[in-house]
């Protein structure tokens, strides 16, 4: 939700006084409001004197325009349109002296001012414009100075909170005390990170935030019940600071202090992100050492893991979530880590989780449903298409000493699962069947040599017919050489299939009568399906 005040280009609020307050200065004690009473809350930031008929080219928003009507003495009919033109340009009010050049204001002008809420003020004849200018501008400058001094004092107090090591809770508490309001720090997804203020008011604030942001109160002058300012740092939106006053007493000056608080909150957020980045690196480095067998004894691993809040002494399962190819790894990896970290916290607070270069590894209680955890993480990760990830699960690991083996199993399960089922697959090492055995062969060159020797010319895709013949061979082997069923699956005529079988036997050998050759052919086709692992 956008902040309920308009900011100047510098990011600070330009202050002024309301038209109603202007009427309270001593030089205007005898001034009279002719029309536009509903606009007394309009803000006066500067004054101007109408000296020329074409004044519209010289006016600016939030001006109080003073005139004797001299420029309009020869064209009084111009007064009828003047109010609408001034209101369209954002002026605060028009103050006029009657009797010398203009005797009275047209009724149309008064009606229009009431309709637009544009104040028309009748000035006393014995007051000079210089006195009005002096008093009103002095009042504006004094208020501006007071507001700046208050904002500076608040800024020093907030910075001191950060220098003392305080976080968002302390920043919220300081703002609540400075402004006598209830305050909440909200993250980018709408989660409340910190609150301060009276409990019943904080409850109202939370309820308004849960309704996708606090509503803007009907503006009465420059005050409101709710105010919200964004927390920005490094070009990123980290959330917002939201304030609530049951009396509707949050003014523009208070919003200025909220902006200072948002700047300080951005410092707190970036500081915490830096700390989290360092801690994440230590966690990832330690878990990588554990999973590669370089972390030392089981006792040392258990003790260090406990410092991170992990329990690696129990029976656990290793999960590997690996980004699928063709995704934007730079933007997806951080999101992948965040989604898996959140999922592990929900399902197993004592589980270990860390992000590596293009994968996330989690070590969780073996009693957990790994597929459910992966589904939970995938649901959150779905917010960043088109990237996907495949998940592999290891066998239960009874202790730290067997974690390297479990990690290898989970990694192979993720990669084989992707080859078999496509991106986004979830596979358990024990459910890979013959692929599990093939994945244990580290010499991939030997596997590929076996494929070439067994399938001959069908091992390559140089000829489009090769892939078609391999498909025919695969279905024949899957149906245990049932010619009728194979013809039905491939939508071939029976005689066409018999011709193809003959061609395959001329290329590969008499596999219809040789069970050992059929086994070799089946394994070779499986290796081809696993290409790339």
């Amino acid at each position: 939700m956008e902040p309920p005040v308009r900011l100047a280009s510098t990011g600070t609020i330009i202050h002024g006084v309301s038209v109603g307050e202007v009427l309270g200065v001593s030089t205007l004690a005898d001034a009279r409001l002719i029309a536009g009473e509903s606009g007394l809350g309009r803000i006066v930031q500067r004054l101007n004197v109408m000296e020329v008929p074409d004044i519209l080219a010289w006016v600016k928003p939030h001006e109080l325009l003073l005139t004797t009507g001299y420029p309009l003495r020869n064209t009084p009919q111009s007064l009828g349109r003047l109010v609408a033109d001034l209101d369209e340009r954002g002026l605060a009010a028009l103050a006029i002296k009657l009797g010398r050049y203009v005797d009275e204001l047209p009724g149309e002008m008064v009606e229009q001012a009431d309709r637009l809420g544009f104040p028309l003020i009748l000035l006393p004849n014995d007051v000079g414009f210089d006195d009005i200018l002096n008093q009103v501008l002095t009042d504006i400058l004094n208020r501006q100075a007071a507001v700046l001094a208050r904002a500076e004092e608040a800024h020093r107090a907030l910075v001191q909170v950060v220098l003392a090591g305080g976080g968002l809770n302390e920043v919220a508490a300081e703002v609540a005390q400075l402004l006598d309001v209830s305050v909440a720090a909200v993250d980018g997804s709408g989660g409340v990170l910190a609150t301060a203020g009276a409990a019943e008011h904080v409850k109202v604030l939370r309820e308004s935030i849960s309704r996708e942001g606090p509503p803007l109160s009907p503006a009465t002058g420059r005050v409101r019940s709710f105010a919200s300012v964004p927390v920005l740092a490094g070009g990123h939106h980290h959330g917002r600071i939201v304030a609530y006053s049951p009396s509707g007493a949050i003014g523009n000056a208070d919003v200025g202090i909220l902006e200072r608080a948002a700047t300080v909150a951005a410092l707190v957020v970036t500081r915490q992100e830096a700390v989290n980045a360092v801690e994440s690196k230590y966690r990832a480095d330690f878990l990588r050492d554990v999973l590669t067998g370089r972390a030392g004894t089981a006792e040392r691993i258990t003790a260090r893991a406990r410092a991170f809040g992990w329990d690696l002494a129990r029976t656990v399962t290793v999960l590997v979530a690996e980004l699928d190819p063709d995704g934007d790894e730079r933007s997806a990896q951080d999101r992948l880590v965040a989604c898996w970290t959140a999922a592990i916290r929900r399902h197993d607070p004592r589980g270990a989780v860390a992000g590596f270069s293009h994968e996330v590894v989690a070590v969780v209680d073996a009693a957990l449903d790994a597929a459910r955890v992966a589904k939970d993480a995938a649901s959150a990760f779905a917010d960043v298409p088109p990237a996907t990830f495949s998940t592999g699960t290891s066998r239960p690991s009874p202790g730290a000493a067997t974690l390297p083996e479990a990690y290898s199993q989970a990694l192979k399960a993720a990669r084989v699962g992707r080859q078999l089922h496509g991106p986004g697959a979830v596979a358990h090492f024990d459910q890979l069947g013959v692929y599990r055995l093939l994945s244990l062969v580290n010499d991939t060159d030997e596997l590929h040599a076996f494929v070439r020797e067994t399938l001959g010319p069908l091992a390559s895709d140089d000829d489009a017919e090769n892939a078609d013949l391999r498909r025919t061979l695969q279905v024949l082997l899957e149906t245990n050489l049932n010619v009728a069923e194979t013809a039905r699956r491939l939508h071939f005529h029976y005689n066409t299939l018999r011709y193809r079988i003959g061609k395959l036997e001329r290329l590969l050998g008499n596999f219809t009568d040789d069970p050992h050759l059929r086994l070799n052919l089946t394994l070779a086709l499986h290796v081809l399906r696993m290409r790339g692992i």
Side-chain angles (χ1 to χ4, degrees), residues 349-360:
R350 295 186 299 160
V353 60
F356 296 165
S357 59
H358 63 288
E359 66 189 35
V360 175

Side-chain angles (χ1 to χ4, degrees), residues 412-413 416 420 429 432-448 450-451 519-531 533:
K412 288 174 180 176
V416 173
L420 297 180
F429 185 73
L432 298 180
V434 69
Y435 298 104
R436 184 178 77 210
L437 298 177
L438 293 174
S439 69
L440 296 176
V441 179
N442 294 323
D443 190 348
T444 56
D445 289 339
E446 186 63 31
L447 284 176
H448 294 156
F450 170 74
V451 171
L519 176 60
N520 288 344
L521 291 171
T522 301
L523 288 174
L525 291 174
H526 285 326
V527 172
L528 274 184
R529 288 194 66 189
M530 290 173 57
R531 183 181 300 164
I533 65 171

Side-chain angles (χ1 to χ4, degrees), residues 217-233:
S217 302
T220 305
R222 293 174 294 160
V223 298
R224 58 194 65 80
S225 293
F226 289 95
S228 174
V229 295
V231 176
L232 303 173

Side-chain angles (χ1 to χ4, degrees), residues 439-482:
S439 69
L440 296 176
V441 179
N442 294 323
D443 190 348
T444 56
D445 289 339
E446 186 63 31
L447 284 176
H448 294 156
F450 170 74
V451 171
R452 290 192 297 272
E453 293 168 2
T454 305
L455 294 180
L458 298 187
S460 70
D461 291 326
D462 296 338
D463 187 341
E465 187 182 13
N466 290 343
D468 195 25
L469 287 173
R470 280 203 310 271
R471 173 62 178 159
T472 302
L473 176 63
Q474 181 179 330
V475 177
L476 273 170
L477 295 173
E478 287 175 355
T479 61
N480 198 24
L481 301 183
N482 186 321

Side-chain angles (χ1 to χ4, degrees), residues 153-175 177-178 261 264-265 267-268 271:
E153 180 183 354
H155 184 72
R156 283 197 299 268
L158 290 166
V159 170
Q160 188 58 41
V161 168
V162 177
L163 293 177
L168 290 177
N169 285 317
E170 289 74 20
V171 171
E174 187 69 27
V175 175
Q177 183 177 356
L178 286 169
V264 173
L267 292 175
V268 173
R271 181 188 66 186

Side-chain angles (χ1 to χ4, degrees), residues 236-419:
H236 298 288
H237 189 286
H238 294 280
R240 51 201 169 105
I241 300 292
V242 187
Y244 166 64
S245 171
S247 61
I250 301 177
N252 286 353
D254 298 324
V255 176
I257 292 177
L258 286 176
E259 287 184 310
R260 301 290 184 101
T263 300
V264 173
L267 292 175
V268 173
V269 170
T270 52
R271 181 188 66 186
Q272 189 58 49
E273 286 183 344
V275 171
N276 291 341
V278 173
E279 290 182 348
S280 296
K281 183 179 185 304
Y282 279 122
R283 287 189 175 96
D285 288 346
F286 171 62
L287 189 57
R288 184 182 287 108
D289 287 344
V290 171
L291 298 176
T292 55
R294 298 179 299 183
T297 64
E299 292 76 12
R300 183 173 182 271
I301 291 173
T302 300
R304 286 198 62 188
R306 191 178 296 114
F308 289 126
W310 301 342
D311 183 1
L312 301 185
R314 55 186 173 163
T315 301
V316 294
T317 298
V318 176
L319 295 161
V320 171
E322 189 177 51
L323 284 172
D324 294 320
D326 302 327
D328 186 351
E329 291 191 11
R330 290 176 298 178
S331 62
Q333 178 64 17
D334 290 343
R335 181 65 175 163
L336 182 67
V337 174
C339 292
W340 270 91
T341 300
I344 298 304
R345 283 176 181 168
R346 284 190 293 270
H347 293 275
D348 185 7
R350 295 186 299 160
V353 60
F356 296 165
S357 59
H358 63 288
E359 66 189 35
V360 175
V361 180
V363 183
V364 299
D365 190 340
L368 281 179
D369 183 348
R372 182 181 177 187
V373 177
K375 183 178 180 181
D376 189 2
S379 297
F381 193 71
D383 295 338
V384 286
T388 58
F389 64 86
S390 297
T391 307
T393 307
S394 74
R395 292 170 173 167
S397 173
T402 57
L403 282 175
E405 181 183 355
Y407 170 60
S408 178
Q409 293 171 357
L411 189 59
K412 288 174 180 176
R415 294 178 178 178
V416 173
R418 180 191 298 115
Q419 292 298 320

